[in-house]
Amino acid sequence: MSPKYRRVLLKLSGEALMGDMPYGIDPKIVQAFASEITQVIRAGVQIAIVVGGGNIFRGMKGAAAGMDRATADYIGMIATVMNAMTLQDALEQMEIPTRVQTAIAMQEVAEPYIRRRAMRHLEKGRVVIFGAGSGNPFFTTDTTAALRAAEIDAEVIFKATKVDGVYDDDPRKNPQARRYKSLTYTHALTHNLAVMDSTAIALCKDNNIPIIVFSLNEPGNICRALLGESIGTIVGGSCEIS
Ligand code: UDP
């Protein structure tokens, strides 16, 4: 069976990489993700990845502790590059060709972000990992995911989280919370549902890019989702409870 998508963007939060650790990177988790990504790329799907940095540093936290917000955000962006390089290493150990492109130039360790070059890498079957967010403070890696997806013409964004989709209330606090099978961008925005930040959702809405939110807790889910199995919640359809 041929895969459902030709080109996808996977958003991995920094927190996803730390597994059960309180901070940093769990190499076993990164290897597990890399092995799933390997299966997807071997099925012929072009994959771009945006990684977060929350496992290492978050600008907002730094600012809350008295740092200059822009400086703290730049540190957060640099943190994402460590994650990007870690993921690159894990993929290359599995013999998958990759490129890291950063929005802040770090030419000794990664290519600078060049849209056309990124697209060429994807066409050649290389996994492109975008580091350093958008290169701008006051943004997030979710917004970066929406921006890069639009730029590289990705058909869909996969947002890997700790929850198995989008609920109408916090399922950890409210056992009656209902999970959406799908919902509109506007519904996610007006109800402030935990999908992505509002800038990211608005960008996806304007560019008609669906966001599929799914859980990383179940091994194999990256593979299932990216190969087109219907799991999690899709933002960008009509409102439907599952
Ligand atoms: N960041 C930024 N601009 C961007 C992307 C990220 O300033 O375009 C900074 C911001 O401080 C953020 C940090 O990088 O807190 C790490 O990214 P994020 O919090 O989005 O990571 P995640 O929550 O996905 O782990």
Short mmCIF file of all heavy atoms in Angstrom, two decimals, residues 11 13-15 52-54 57-59 72-73 76-77 80 133-142 144, ligand 1:
data_model
loop_
_atom_site.label_atom_id
_atom_site.label_comp_id
_atom_site.label_asym_id
_atom_site.label_seq_id
_atom_site.Cartn_x
_atom_site.Cartn_y
_atom_site.Cartn_z
N LYS A 11 6.42 17.69 14.26
CA LYS A 11 6.89 18.57 15.34
C LYS A 11 7.10 17.72 16.59
O LYS A 11 6.17 17.12 17.12
CB LYS A 11 5.83 19.67 15.61
CG LYS A 11 5.98 20.38 16.95
CD LYS A 11 7.20 21.28 17.06
CE LYS A 11 7.75 21.45 18.46
NZ LYS A 11 6.92 22.04 19.47
N SER A 13 8.39 17.94 20.44
CA SER A 13 8.74 18.89 21.49
C SER A 13 10.03 18.43 22.15
O SER A 13 10.39 17.25 22.10
CB SER A 13 7.62 18.97 22.53
OG SER A 13 7.58 17.78 23.24
N GLY A 14 10.71 19.35 22.78
CA GLY A 14 11.92 19.00 23.51
C GLY A 14 11.59 18.02 24.62
O GLY A 14 12.32 17.05 24.86
N GLU A 15 10.45 18.27 25.27
CA GLU A 15 10.05 17.40 26.39
C GLU A 15 9.92 15.94 25.97
O GLU A 15 10.20 15.03 26.75
CB GLU A 15 8.73 17.88 26.98
CG GLU A 15 8.94 19.01 27.97
CD GLU A 15 7.65 19.46 28.62
OE1 GLU A 15 6.60 18.82 28.38
OE2 GLU A 15 7.71 20.45 29.35
N GLY A 52 11.68 21.06 19.36
CA GLY A 52 11.62 22.09 20.40
C GLY A 52 12.86 22.04 21.28
O GLY A 52 13.83 21.32 20.99
N GLY A 53 12.79 22.78 22.36
CA GLY A 53 13.96 22.85 23.25
C GLY A 53 13.59 22.86 24.72
O GLY A 53 14.44 23.05 25.59
N GLY A 54 12.30 22.61 24.99
CA GLY A 54 11.79 22.73 26.35
C GLY A 54 12.43 21.78 27.36
O GLY A 54 12.32 21.99 28.57
N PHE A 57 15.85 24.38 27.80
CA PHE A 57 15.65 25.78 28.19
C PHE A 57 14.43 26.37 27.51
O PHE A 57 14.23 26.17 26.31
CB PHE A 57 16.89 26.61 27.78
CG PHE A 57 16.97 27.95 28.46
CD1 PHE A 57 17.62 28.10 29.68
CD2 PHE A 57 16.38 29.07 27.88
CE1 PHE A 57 17.68 29.35 30.31
CE2 PHE A 57 16.43 30.31 28.50
CZ PHE A 57 17.09 30.45 29.72
N ARG A 58 13.64 27.11 28.28
CA ARG A 58 12.50 27.84 27.73
C ARG A 58 12.67 29.32 28.01
O ARG A 58 12.91 29.71 29.16
CB ARG A 58 11.21 27.40 28.42
CG ARG A 58 10.50 26.30 27.72
CD ARG A 58 9.17 26.01 28.42
NE ARG A 58 8.87 24.61 28.35
CZ ARG A 58 8.43 24.01 27.26
NH1 ARG A 58 8.23 24.70 26.15
NH2 ARG A 58 8.18 22.72 27.26
N GLY A 59 12.51 30.12 26.98
CA GLY A 59 12.68 31.57 27.13
C GLY A 59 11.78 32.17 28.19
O GLY A 59 12.21 33.00 29.00
N ALA A 72 16.78 35.36 26.55
CA ALA A 72 16.36 34.03 27.00
C ALA A 72 15.83 33.22 25.83
O ALA A 72 16.11 32.02 25.71
CB ALA A 72 15.30 34.17 28.09
N ASP A 73 15.08 33.87 24.94
CA ASP A 73 14.55 33.16 23.79
C ASP A 73 15.67 32.68 22.86
O ASP A 73 15.60 31.58 22.31
CB ASP A 73 13.58 34.05 23.01
CG ASP A 73 12.18 34.02 23.60
OD1 ASP A 73 11.87 33.10 24.38
OD2 ASP A 73 11.39 34.92 23.27
N GLY A 76 16.94 29.61 24.26
CA GLY A 76 15.99 28.53 23.96
C GLY A 76 16.19 28.01 22.55
O GLY A 76 16.19 26.80 22.30
N MET A 77 16.40 28.93 21.61
CA MET A 77 16.59 28.50 20.22
C MET A 77 17.87 27.68 20.07
O MET A 77 17.90 26.69 19.35
CB MET A 77 16.63 29.73 19.30
CG MET A 77 15.25 30.32 19.08
SD MET A 77 15.26 31.65 17.88
CE MET A 77 15.31 33.08 18.92
N THR A 80 17.42 24.15 21.05
CA THR A 80 16.78 23.26 20.05
C THR A 80 17.82 22.67 19.09
O THR A 80 17.62 21.59 18.55
CB THR A 80 15.70 23.99 19.21
OG1 THR A 80 16.32 24.90 18.31
CG2 THR A 80 14.67 24.71 20.05
N GLY A 133 14.56 27.11 15.91
CA GLY A 133 13.22 27.68 15.73
C GLY A 133 13.13 28.52 14.48
O GLY A 133 13.69 28.16 13.43
N SER A 134 12.45 29.64 14.60
CA SER A 134 12.29 30.54 13.45
C SER A 134 13.45 31.53 13.37
O SER A 134 13.53 32.31 12.43
CB SER A 134 10.98 31.33 13.61
OG SER A 134 11.10 32.17 14.76
N GLY A 135 14.30 31.51 14.39
CA GLY A 135 15.39 32.49 14.44
C GLY A 135 14.96 33.79 15.10
O GLY A 135 15.77 34.71 15.27
N ASN A 136 13.69 33.87 15.50
CA ASN A 136 13.17 35.10 16.10
C ASN A 136 12.70 34.87 17.53
O ASN A 136 11.94 33.91 17.76
CB ASN A 136 11.97 35.62 15.30
CG ASN A 136 12.32 35.87 13.87
OD1 ASN A 136 13.12 36.73 13.56
ND2 ASN A 136 11.76 35.06 12.99
N PRO A 137 13.10 35.76 18.45
CA PRO A 137 12.56 35.64 19.80
C PRO A 137 11.06 35.95 19.79
O PRO A 137 10.55 36.48 18.81
CB PRO A 137 13.34 36.69 20.59
CG PRO A 137 13.91 37.63 19.59
CD PRO A 137 14.05 36.88 18.31
N PHE A 138 10.38 35.60 20.85
CA PHE A 138 8.94 35.81 21.04
C PHE A 138 8.11 34.85 20.18
O PHE A 138 6.91 35.02 20.04
CB PHE A 138 8.51 37.27 20.76
CG PHE A 138 9.25 38.25 21.63
CD1 PHE A 138 10.35 38.95 21.15
CD2 PHE A 138 8.87 38.44 22.96
CE1 PHE A 138 11.06 39.83 21.95
CE2 PHE A 138 9.57 39.33 23.77
CZ PHE A 138 10.67 40.02 23.27
N PHE A 139 8.77 33.87 19.58
CA PHE A 139 8.02 32.84 18.85
C PHE A 139 8.27 31.49 19.51
O PHE A 139 9.08 31.39 20.43
CB PHE A 139 8.46 32.80 17.38
CG PHE A 139 7.91 33.94 16.58
CD1 PHE A 139 8.56 35.17 16.53
CD2 PHE A 139 6.71 33.81 15.91
CE1 PHE A 139 8.05 36.24 15.80
CE2 PHE A 139 6.18 34.87 15.17
CZ PHE A 139 6.86 36.08 15.12
N THR A 140 7.59 30.47 19.01
CA THR A 140 7.76 29.12 19.57
C THR A 140 8.14 28.17 18.44
O THR A 140 8.04 28.53 17.26
CB THR A 140 6.44 28.60 20.16
OG1 THR A 140 5.50 28.54 19.08
CG2 THR A 140 5.91 29.49 21.27
N THR A 141 8.49 26.98 18.82
CA THR A 141 8.79 25.99 17.78
C THR A 141 7.49 25.46 17.15
O THR A 141 7.53 24.93 16.05
CB THR A 141 9.66 24.84 18.32
OG1 THR A 141 9.08 24.34 19.50
CG2 THR A 141 11.07 25.30 18.59
N ASP A 142 6.36 25.62 17.83
CA ASP A 142 5.08 25.27 17.18
C ASP A 142 4.83 26.21 16.01
O ASP A 142 4.44 25.79 14.92
CB ASP A 142 3.92 25.38 18.18
CG ASP A 142 3.77 24.14 19.04
OD1 ASP A 142 4.54 23.18 18.84
OD2 ASP A 142 2.89 24.14 19.93
N THR A 144 7.10 27.82 14.46
CA THR A 144 8.11 27.48 13.46
C THR A 144 7.62 26.31 12.60
O THR A 144 7.79 26.31 11.38
CB THR A 144 9.43 27.07 14.15
OG1 THR A 144 9.80 28.09 15.06
CG2 THR A 144 10.54 26.83 13.14
N1 UDP B 1 12.17 29.99 20.61
C1 UDP B 1 12.14 31.27 20.08
N2 UDP B 1 11.76 31.45 18.78
C2 UDP B 1 11.39 30.42 17.98
C3 UDP B 1 11.38 29.11 18.53
C4 UDP B 1 11.78 28.92 19.83
O1 UDP B 1 12.48 32.23 20.76
O2 UDP B 1 11.06 30.64 16.80
C5 UDP B 1 12.68 29.77 21.98
C6 UDP B 1 11.67 30.05 23.08
O3 UDP B 1 12.36 30.64 24.15
C7 UDP B 1 11.23 28.66 23.48
C8 UDP B 1 12.47 27.84 23.28
O4 UDP B 1 13.09 28.42 22.13
O5 UDP B 1 10.79 28.60 24.82
C9 UDP B 1 12.25 26.36 23.06
O6 UDP B 1 11.23 26.15 22.14
P1 UDP B 1 9.76 25.60 22.56
O7 UDP B 1 9.39 26.12 23.91
O8 UDP B 1 8.83 25.92 21.44
O9 UDP B 1 10.06 24.05 22.63
P2 UDP B 1 9.08 22.83 22.99
O10 UDP B 1 7.97 23.33 23.89
O11 UDP B 1 8.52 22.34 21.71
O12 UDP B 1 9.99 21.84 23.62
#
